[in-house]
Amino acid sequence: MEIIRAENFSFSYPGSENCVLKDISFSIKNGDFITICGRSGSGKSTLLRNLKPMIAPKGTKRGSIFFEGNIVWDRDEIEQSIKIGYVSQNPENQVVTDKVWHELVFGLESLGYNSNEIRSKAAEMASFFGIQNWFYKNVCELSGGQKQILNLASVLIMNPSVIILDEPTSQLDPIAAQDFLMMLKRINTELGITVIAAEHHLEDIYSISDRIFFMENGRIVFDAAPDSAGGLLKGNDFFDALPLPVRIHTEVENDYKCPITVKDAREWLKKISIDKGIEDYKILDCGKVKKEAVIELKNVWYRYAKDLPDALCGLSLKVNKSEILAVLGGNGAGKTTALSVICGILKPSRGAVIVRDKNYSSIGMLVQNPESMFVKDTVEEDLMYTLEMMNVPESEKKAEIERVIKLCGLENFKSRHPYDLSGGEKQLAALSKILLSRPKVLLLDEPTKGLDICWKKKLGVILKKLKDSGTAIVIVSHDIEFCSGCADRCVLLFNGIAAAEGEPRKFFSGNNFYTTCADRICRGIIDGVVLSSDLFDVFGCKKEEQDNDDVNISPSYRCEDKKVKKPIKKKNILFCLFFAALFLVMIAAGNFVENPYALSLIQIFQIVFAGGALFSIAPSDKNSKNSYLRKKKIKNNTQIISFIVTAFIIFITAFVGNFLFDGRKYYIIGIIIIFELLFAFFVTLEKARFKARDIVAISAICAIAVASRTAFYMLPQFKPVAAIVIISAIAFGWQE
């Protein structure tokens, strides 16, 4: 029986004339397990969201989509909520409550089910999914795999007819991904629920699918059974995304049935190796290459809270120059925590993080959620803003933006809002921001999440060229096939420590689950095969490695490892001498003044002129990492206004007020001066574009200053506020 049908359906986003979906037609029967694959931006996520109108994007629709014989947009929201379930690719985005049990029953509570029904359904669902052991836990304590299972259970408890999933395993480790997909197949076979999933990683989901939809440029190119998709995709760029058994069967001339699973592939390999007389695969030993460690973690411990277990338990790790290090492990093993410690976001409670070469201070990190990196309305504006924060010369900004846009293939997305991009496109846009700074140490947290096979290949080429230029690269990933193909060294984290380490061939050949598909297929049949490329070499199907001559890695505007001293201009020296002379005049004048108020005023001028002399000749290192405010670009006229207000109006107020009130009512004078200072501060604040963390820091410093002045009121000669201001100035640095 047909459950979903699309007839000539097209869709385009607001303000765009190009259709993301073009004349799509298909039919899905009740109980089918459908996998939709295709390159990033081919329209997979847009199609899935249009199958559930409650979450469908705004835009222009043409054609129709039918659900159970009726147009899907005509079904009310309650019916959609019950019958069409949706699981997003990011489990964090779908969680709405704090407790596991509450998240599980949230949908039923919203629909008005009574307590007895809710209790019964929750108990059944918790038993089916094995949630009993963490039923009363906080959601924040769950691993990524547990959160995704909880999302699936929260959808299934509504008893839907269809479950739609958008890259459900993109953030799961290999073992958690297999468990999740087996649970999904069990739901499909035992309950007869229709499953429609979009996925880039086809190794595990391919064998449990009934049909494969391949999308390209907004169209469904073909709808085929899994064993025939290989022949249809041969010659297409997406062919390498298919599981290894399908690819090798398609490439090698033979008359046997196409294997889908590893088990079938082993039986096929036994037969074909006898027919062709295949022997063990031997590789040349290139010997050990001496590596230079640029960052080293020694016995590092870290925990997020006192009542939580340690996330890192004595981790020791080396990051070498000109090397790609892949860090693997299950969800919650400490991979992301290790990256945060390396780049200085987190400070270890014990142990040490040693930076061997002080010139390797430029560390770039691509976080797991790329959306958190976007601050502007278009991709191009976001890149321009990044260059402004780096004080890149105007003459080089356009060339730098064009370089990273071409490098990451974002030519067609420059004017798009970053949030309107697909998952893979967001990842590339975020990576382009990191590459603008040309980092010496590059940290990547799940860089292949949402990327199709073509972009993975290009990312691999970019990383290898960065490595050849001397960059140290650390990849945290669940994508074993990607890591095995581009990494020089692999580390397996378990319970916060490095449980295994070695070069890819040695590392993966010794594992059962954290290993490559080629190793699982060939183990015991053709020894020596570990990587996918090895298996193709055995049958003489070696493919040319993709290259990219457009990748420009060499620095252009950023200073090299040597620190370049900026020469002091003549006018700066003259200003310094001028303020120094005024400072000496004020010192001399203080010897002839007995009035305490006038003496105080002279002392204030002494401080100002001494500061002016230092400010005039102080070195300006825009590349320094120690000062965040150096990167703020404040216009000259704003600085002049602030200086005039600070240096003249305030002192005139103090001088006039002293004689006007005959040395009394200094509280009124003080309040007036405070408002004048606030005026100068807010003028600078608007131009400096401070972040929230800066404002919070300044507010905290002010609170500490007030509290300290109150605490030491009995010691009039002790000036805690002055000390705090000096310490704050050193921490924030010069403001340019």
Side-chain angles (χ1 to χ4, degrees), residues 77-124:
E77 292 186 356
I78 294 179
E79 188 177 9
Q80 288 182 41
S81 301
I82 295 174
K83 292 196 172 186
I84 305 176
Y86 187 89
V87 178
S88 67
Q89 62 177 300
N90 188 350
E92 301 283 352
N93 292 344
Q94 200 159 339
V95 174
V96 294
T97 63
D98 58 342
K99 297 289 186 181
V100 171
W101 68 268
H102 198 187
E103 181 68 25
L104 183 62
V105 303
F106 179 77
L108 298 179
E109 291 178 340
S110 301
L111 294 174
Y113 281 73
N114 61 54
S115 299
N116 291 332
E117 288 180 299
I118 292 176
R119 190 178 298 109
S120 174
K121 287 180 177 292
E124 179 188 29

Side-chain angles (χ1 to χ4, degrees), residues 617-632:
I617 201 168
S620 175
D621 183 9
K622 296 182 180 179
N623 293 323
S624 175
K625 185 182 177 182
N626 298 326
S627 174
Y628 175 74
L629 289 180
R630 286 178 188 156
K631 299 178 182 178
K632 301 295 183 183

Side-chain angles (χ1 to χ4, degrees), residues 363-587:
I363 300 178
M365 180 172 175
L366 177 63
V367 297
Q368 199 169 31
N369 181 14
E371 289 186 354
S372 62
M373 298 181 62
F374 303 128
V375 295
K376 294 296 181 180
D377 293 335
T378 67
V379 172
E380 190 171 21
E381 289 177 1
D382 212 284
L383 295 175
M384 182 64 72
Y385 177 77
T386 303
L387 293 177
E388 289 177 359
M389 294 298 99
M390 295 164 54
N391 286 333
V392 175
E394 289 289 339
S395 59
E396 298 187 19
K397 286 181 180 178
K398 186 176 180 180
E400 282 300 303
I401 291 176
E402 291 299 324
R403 178 183 68 86
V404 296
I405 283 179
K406 186 176 182 180
L407 175 63
C408 297
L410 300 172
E411 292 91 343
N412 297 328
F413 310 109
K414 291 192 295 184
S415 59
R416 291 272 296 275
H417 196 288
Y419 285 12
D420 290 338
L421 303 178
S422 68
E425 291 160 356
K426 289 177 184 175
Q427 198 80 343
L428 293 170
L431 178 61
S432 67
K433 293 189 65 175
I434 301 297
L435 293 180
L436 280 175
S437 63
R438 304 178 187 266
K440 287 291 185 180
V441 179
L442 181 61
L443 310 178
L444 305 173
D445 195 355
E446 297 293 345
T448 63
K449 184 184 69 176
L451 293 184
D452 60 60
I453 188 63
C454 302
W455 282 114
K456 284 183 186 179
K457 288 181 179 179
K458 189 165 187 177
L459 176 63
V461 172
I462 294 171
L463 295 183
K464 288 179 180 179
K465 285 186 175 287
L466 286 168
K467 178 193 74 170
D468 293 339
S469 70
T471 305
I473 302 172
V474 182
I475 303 174
V476 163
S477 180
H478 294 310
D479 194 334
I480 289 177
E481 298 297 331
F482 179 79
C483 292
S484 66
C486 75
D488 300 304
R489 186 162 52 98
C490 298
V491 173
L492 178 66
L493 291 194
F494 173 75
N495 198 26
I497 63 172
E501 181 179 344
E503 58 90 19
R505 293 182 187 279
K506 181 180 178 181
F507 178 86
F508 290 113
S509 61
N511 297 332
N512 292 318
F513 297 101
Y514 278 89
T515 187
T516 61
C517 185
D519 180 64
R520 293 198 300 267
I521 292 173
C522 298
R523 186 175 296 183
I525 302 175
I526 304 177
D527 293 335
V529 173
V530 177
L531 309 181
S532 299
S533 58
D534 298 344
L535 187 55
F536 285 100
D537 288 347
V538 166
F539 290 100
C541 304
K542 186 174 182 179
K543 296 185 176 182
E544 294 183 1
E545 187 175 352
Q546 180 183 356
D547 199 355
N548 188 357
D549 295 332
D550 295 332
V551 180
N552 179 16
I553 302 299
S554 59
S556 61
Y557 58 83
R558 192 169 62 83
C559 293
E560 279 296 330
D561 294 338
K562 293 182 179 180
K563 291 185 178 180
V564 180
K565 293 184 178 180
K566 188 176 181 180
I568 301 174
K569 297 180 180 180
K570 292 182 179 180
K571 67 175 183 179
N572 291 32
I573 298 176
L574 294 176
F575 274 118
C576 178
L577 295 175
F578 173 71
F579 282 114
L582 291 177
F583 173 69
L584 295 175
V585 170
M586 288 296 104
I587 291 178

Side-chain angles (χ1 to χ4, degrees), residues 2 100 104 173 178 197 209 279 289 347 356 385 500 548 597:
E2 184 181 75
V100 171
L104 183 62
D173 62 75
Q178 291 177 4
S209 303
E279 299 179 353
V289 179
K347 301 297 181 184
R356 295 290 185 186
Y385 177 77
N548 188 357
Y597 297 105

